[in-house]
Amino acid sequence: MRIIFFAGKGGVGKTSTAAATGIKAAERGNRTVIMSLDVAHSLSDIFDTEKALINQSKGQPAQVGENLWIQELDIQEEIEKNWGDIHKYLSTLLNTSGLDEILAEELAVLPGMEEVSLLLHINRYARNNRFDVVLLDCAPTGESLRFISIPTTLEWYINKLFKIEKTIVKYARPVAKRFYDVPLPGDAYFDAIERLFEKLRGVDALLTDPEKTTVRLVTNPEKIVLKETQRAFMYFSLYKMHIDAIIMNRMLPDALTEPYFQNWQKSQKRYVKEAEAYFQPVPLLPVNLFKGEILGFDNLKTLGDRIYGKRNPLDRFFDGTPYEFEKIDGKYQLRMKLPFIDKRDVAMHKIADELIVRIGGFKRSVLLPRQVAALDSLKATLKGQYLLIDFDE
Ligand SMILES: Nc1ncnc2c1ncn2[C@@H]1O[C@H](COP(=O)(O)OP(=O)(O)OP(=O)(O)O)[C@@H](O)[C@H]1O
Ligand SMILES: [Mg+2]
């Protein structure tokens, strides 16, 4: 099964590009589902799907074309289905602590529940082979970043804390009952967590396997959007997910000669150059600004043609990771693959949280994680095709 994430800042074109990719993938005979957590449910809107069809589907895949489905998760229903007992325990707990019952129920929705529900679906499709392709129309960057950290965090919780907690509660319950009003979680709570974890097993391996899963970052040629794209690039890399393309959406066409737009055209060109320095060797796929909103099957299909041309949208457009961070004996190291370099050519500058590496006329810029950005000393060594940069205080 092939999985592609479409991530990026709010409004950059994630839903449109995911939908366009879906059409191209389905055209080639792949059973394709486009999934979204968007509460505004814009997928069905841009496909112009009849509301009746979506209402009927109730969070299940709704067919919108040959080999093509869209699935908009209904978060309330997901919570009841997957989180019933956990949610019940948490709301009782909050309610006991004096909160109004309705408020307690609302607050007992843990951050990440929605995202985990999405992971559950992905994992099920990977196991039951219902689809060949799953495309994810992600929430705006901030939230989708939280989402990718969940499998790792959950694994840690289950392995490190869960078993201890379960044992403590088992022995503590008779004693605790006499002293505290707060209810301790019952068997149903622990069973529910275990069931959930079983359903999620393997999803982290799936998401970090570049043969199966890649991320396409959607961006626009504008300063603030690009900065956020850089940040997303770093986080996805930290979680060892593979970014295989940057979709540079909303480029003004060169044919546009109206003087009014000349400044825009100039600054867009400048930002495209910058983006190349940030993301190389991951390819940039430019897409023109359309004459109007992109609505309906035919417009989306045209968008798909503009993004991919004759290419297969399911190909991996880039193999490998341009850089990786590692912590070795408590020290941070950045590993960058730069073939054909000579150490004499390398110059580095750190400006705030950004590291700029110049090699001859070539510039590569990397946004640093917070802990790493705080370190001042840099040392570069060359090892085969890799430039290793050690950070120290
Ligand atoms: N290349 C383009 N040309 C013209 N209009 C575009 C282009 N790309 C996207 N749009 C329009 O911009 C709007 C936002 O696009 P879209 O909904 O795909 O963004 P999004 O990243 O999913 O937004 P959100 O973060 O709100 O989910 C839509 O009206 C869409 O039709
Ligand atoms: Mg959207």
Side-chain angles (χ1 to χ4, degrees):
M1 193 173 79
R2 179 80 168 90
I3 304 168
I4 307 174
F5 282 67
F6 291 83
K9 198 170 171 12
V12 290
K14 300 175 293 296
T15 305
S16 313
T17 49
T21 309
I23 291 175
K24 300 288 284 179
E27 236 175 29
R28 291 175 174 254
N30 303 289
R31 295 164 301 164
T32 303
V33 63
I34 313 165
M35 296 179 69
S36 147
L37 265 176
D38 187 354
V39 278
H41 288 188
S42 45
L43 256 182
S44 51
D45 287 334
I46 64 167
F47 269 105
D48 255 345
T49 320
E50 282 172 46
K51 281 282 169 266
L53 178 68
I54 296 298
N55 288 339
Q56 240 174 31
S57 79
K58 275 202 160 169
Q60 292 304 307
Q63 190 155 14
V64 292
E66 198 185 341
N67 287 323
L68 188 61
W69 286 260
I70 60 175
Q71 183 172 13
E72 297 178 322
L73 295 189
D74 177 339
I75 192 58
Q76 207 48 48
E77 201 181 283
E78 292 294 322
I79 286 178
E80 273 156 35
K81 206 166 58 196
N82 299 312
W83 298 90
D85 290 315
I86 300 169
H87 186 241
K88 222 178 286 160
Y89 166 67
L90 289 175
S91 33
T92 323
L93 183 68
L94 290 170
N95 193 221
T96 323
S97 60
L99 278 180
D100 169 75
E101 195 175 332
I102 297 176
L103 184 60
E105 269 177 22
E106 189 61 34
L107 288 179
V109 177
L110 291 174
M113 272 188 184
E114 289 109 320
E115 286 88 351
V116 172
S117 302
L118 198 65
L119 293 177
L120 287 171
H121 282 279
I122 298 176
N123 219 21
R124 208 179 58 220
Y125 294 149
R127 289 177 185 182
N128 70 12
N129 194 28
R130 173 158 180 204
F131 295 107
D132 305 307
V133 178
V134 175
L135 304 176
L136 287 143
D137 170 20
C138 295
T141 335
E143 288 151 67
S144 50
L145 293 178
R146 190 179 66 185
F147 160 60
I148 56 173
S149 68
I150 286 172
T152 336
T153 320
L154 210 69
E155 176 100 33
W156 179 86
Y157 170 72
I158 290 284
N159 290 337
K160 296 267 157 47
L161 279 183
F162 179 72
K163 292 194 182 82
I164 305 174
E165 225 173 51
K166 195 172 167 180
T167 318
I168 292 178
V169 166
K170 189 169 148 205
Y171 293 108
R173 185 174 286 115
V175 188
K177 249 193 194 142
R178 281 189 284 152
F179 297 103
Y180 303 108
D181 289 338
V182 180
L184 288 176
D187 287 340
Y189 166 83
F190 288 110
D191 290 348
I193 289 192
E194 239 156 355
R195 265 201 312 276
L196 204 61
F197 191 66
E198 171 46 40
K199 285 193 212 157
L200 279 172
R201 201 180 296 280
V203 76
D204 49 342
L206 193 64
L207 296 188
T208 50
D209 178 355
E211 300 270 337
K212 300 195 170 112
T213 307
T214 58
V215 180
R216 298 204 175 142
L217 293 177
V218 186
T219 189
N220 299 150
E222 285 165 37
K223 186 181 177 119
I224 293 168
V225 184
L226 270 184
K227 187 80 184 179
E228 188 157 326
T229 314
Q230 259 185 294
R231 196 173 304 281
F233 194 96
M234 171 186 80
Y235 278 110
F236 280 107
S237 305
L238 282 182
Y239 284 104
K240 312 232 178 286
M241 291 184 71
H242 293 73
I243 299 152
D244 79 331
I246 311 286
I247 299 177
M248 182 59 85
N249 192 19
R250 289 213 178 88
M251 292 290 299
L252 290 171
D254 281 335
L256 197 70
T257 50
E258 198 76 37
Y260 188 89
F261 291 112
Q262 268 168 17
N263 270 339
W264 274 109
Q265 280 165 317
K266 244 196 254 156
S267 78
Q268 286 198 343
K269 290 227 164 73
R270 199 174 66 238
Y271 286 123
V272 167
K273 275 235 147 45
E274 280 190 19
E276 279 167 359
Y278 295 149
F279 307 120
Q280 244 172 38
V282 177
L284 228 58
L285 309 179
V287 184
N288 272 358
L289 181 72
F290 279 43
K291 281 185 188 146
E293 281 179 291
I294 306 176
L295 295 173
F297 207 91
D298 292 341
N299 280 320
L300 289 168
K301 191 168 145 62
T302 310
L303 176 62
D305 292 335
R306 297 274 171 82
I307 304 173
Y308 300 108
K310 297 226 173 322
R311 279 178 286 206
N312 181 346
L314 304 181
D315 280 350
R316 252 182 309 153
F317 297 126
F318 175 70
D319 235 339
T321 42
Y323 62 77
E324 272 170 56
F325 285 100
E326 227 180 319
K327 205 170 176 184
I328 303 166
D329 298 330
K331 299 232 158 89
Y332 294 97
Q333 187 180 69
L334 172 66
R335 242 164 64 105
M336 239 187 211
K337 193 170 181 189
L338 300 166
F340 321 119
I341 55 165
D342 176 343
K343 188 159 175 224
R344 280 168 307 181
D345 296 338
V346 180
M348 295 184 297
H349 304 274
K350 193 159 84 57
I351 302 167
D353 56 353
E354 202 165 322
L355 178 73
I356 296 160
V357 182
R358 284 179 197 278
I359 307 127
F362 181 89
K363 184 177 130 188
R364 177 79 71 77
S365 142
V366 176
L367 199 71
L368 303 169
R370 214 174 319 138
Q371 316 87 293
V372 180
L375 305 171
D376 289 325
S377 150
L378 307 172
K379 198 177 97 235
T381 24
L382 211 58
K383 200 172 168 192
Q385 293 198 326
Y386 288 91
L387 180 70
L388 309 178
I389 300 168
D390 291 291
F391 294 83
D392 214 332
E393 276 165 57

